[in-house]
Amino acid sequence: MRCIKPLLAVVLSITLFGCQNQTKEKAINANKNVQTQDTKADSDLRPKDQIYFLNKVRAESDYSITSNSIKKDAHIEDFNKYAKDTLKEFKNWEFIVDEVNDNRSDANTISQIFGWDENPIYNLKVVSPIKVDNSVDTIAIDNRVNFTYTIPKLPKGAPLKKQLTLIKDLNKGDTIIVSGAVTHFNNKGKIDFATFYDQDLPWNIDLMVSDIWKKGKHQ
């Protein structure tokens, strides 16, 4: 018995020491994870409302929502309200240029509803990334969201002419800063994002532009 008691004391000491080390390691790792997440969030200098929007689209595309009709209908209603209330005016969002084309089939839903695409147009197609992997390609994006701005080839008015002059000078991969609005219409002319909940492709959202310039070159 005299031998057993000292042995038990040694075992208990080792056990307690090991538990304390594990607790410290867990606390250190947890702190590292928080710091890493904070660093990632702080490294994205885009407007908070833009980041919120992109993360919201990512969340809305989750299979648990799109595969459940009841959940999907509720989320569509909520997102349409969010678009009407919040996305009608934004400031200085950052986009990456994908291409500029003149295909009528690529015109955004605004131009289709109002018949603007019946005349010659240009489509400025841009993307807004959650995360860019520059090691692969400038448009290699984690969960990309596409945007299309449709503008007449022969615009009327100084503001549109100024926009077109800038758009003609853009190349794939350029970074632009845009102020304006974001929306999407159904074939009845109402704001409706329902179609995006039934597809696996990236969302392609209408972009309305009030101001646009290449990053670092605003006058």
Side-chain angles (χ1 to χ4, degrees):
M1 288 294 291
R2 290 179 181 177
C3 295
I4 293 174
K5 286 182 179 180
L7 182 60
L8 286 174
V10 171
V11 172
L12 286 172
S13 297
I14 293 172
T15 304
L16 288 172
F17 181 76
C19 289
Q20 287 175 350
N21 281 344
Q22 287 181 357
T23 302
K24 288 180 180 178
E25 286 179 4
K26 287 180 180 179
I28 291 170
N29 291 334
N31 188 46
K32 284 181 179 179
N33 289 335
V34 170
Q35 289 177 344
T36 301
Q37 291 173 0
D38 289 343
T39 301
K40 287 180 179 179
D42 293 340
S43 65
D44 195 333
L45 302 178
R46 290 173 297 174
K48 298 297 182 185
D49 56 342
Q50 183 181 14
I51 299 170
Y52 176 82
F53 168 76
L54 294 173
N55 286 327
K56 188 173 181 64
V57 170
R58 187 210 297 260
E60 294 299 306
S61 303
D62 190 84
Y63 182 74
S64 65
I65 295 171
T66 59
S67 63
N68 184 314
S69 295
I70 294 176
K71 283 186 178 181
K72 182 172 68 175
D73 288 345
H75 277 259
I76 290 170
E77 184 178 350
D78 288 344
F79 197 94
N80 287 343
K81 186 177 186 305
Y82 162 69
K84 292 176 184 177
D85 295 343
T86 308
L87 301 179
K88 58 187 177 183
E89 184 178 5
F90 66 79
K91 298 290 185 184
N92 302 335
W93 282 18
E94 184 175 307
F95 298 94
I96 299 173
V97 176
D98 193 2
E99 66 173 296
V100 179
N101 67 43
D102 58 0
N103 298 327
R104 291 186 180 181
S105 59
D106 282 345
N108 64 20
T109 61
I110 298 171
S111 63
Q112 293 173 18
I113 291 298
F114 292 100
W116 299 344
D117 62 326
E118 295 177 1
N119 298 311
I121 55 171
Y122 288 117
N123 299 303
L124 171 62
K125 301 180 75 65
V126 299
V127 296
S128 189
I130 297 289
K131 179 178 67 177
V132 181
D133 184 359
N134 289 318
S135 66
V136 180
D137 187 271
T138 54
I139 311 293
I141 290 169
D142 172 24
N143 194 54
R144 66 185 283 161
V145 180
N146 298 336
F147 299 80
T148 301
Y149 177 51
T150 300
I151 187 172
K153 283 189 176 183
L154 299 172
K156 297 179 180 179
L160 286 179
K161 289 179 179 179
K162 184 179 179 181
Q163 289 181 13
L164 184 57
T165 298
L166 183 143
I167 290 171
K168 285 181 176 180
D169 191 43
L170 295 177
N171 297 300
K172 182 182 177 73
D174 285 345
T175 299
I176 58 174
I177 308 298
V178 177
S179 296
V182 171
T183 192
H184 185 269
F185 290 92
N186 60 23
N187 55 13
K188 296 180 180 179
K190 295 183 178 180
I191 294 175
D192 188 5
F193 287 75
T195 56
F196 298 125
Y197 289 79
D198 294 319
Q199 64 185 37
D200 295 327
L201 299 174
W203 290 26
N204 187 3
I205 299 171
D206 289 18
L207 184 62
M208 294 182 283
V209 175
S210 60
D211 196 10
I212 179 174
W213 67 91
K214 290 179 75 171
K215 190 173 183 179
K217 294 186 178 182
H218 190 221
Q219 298 178 351

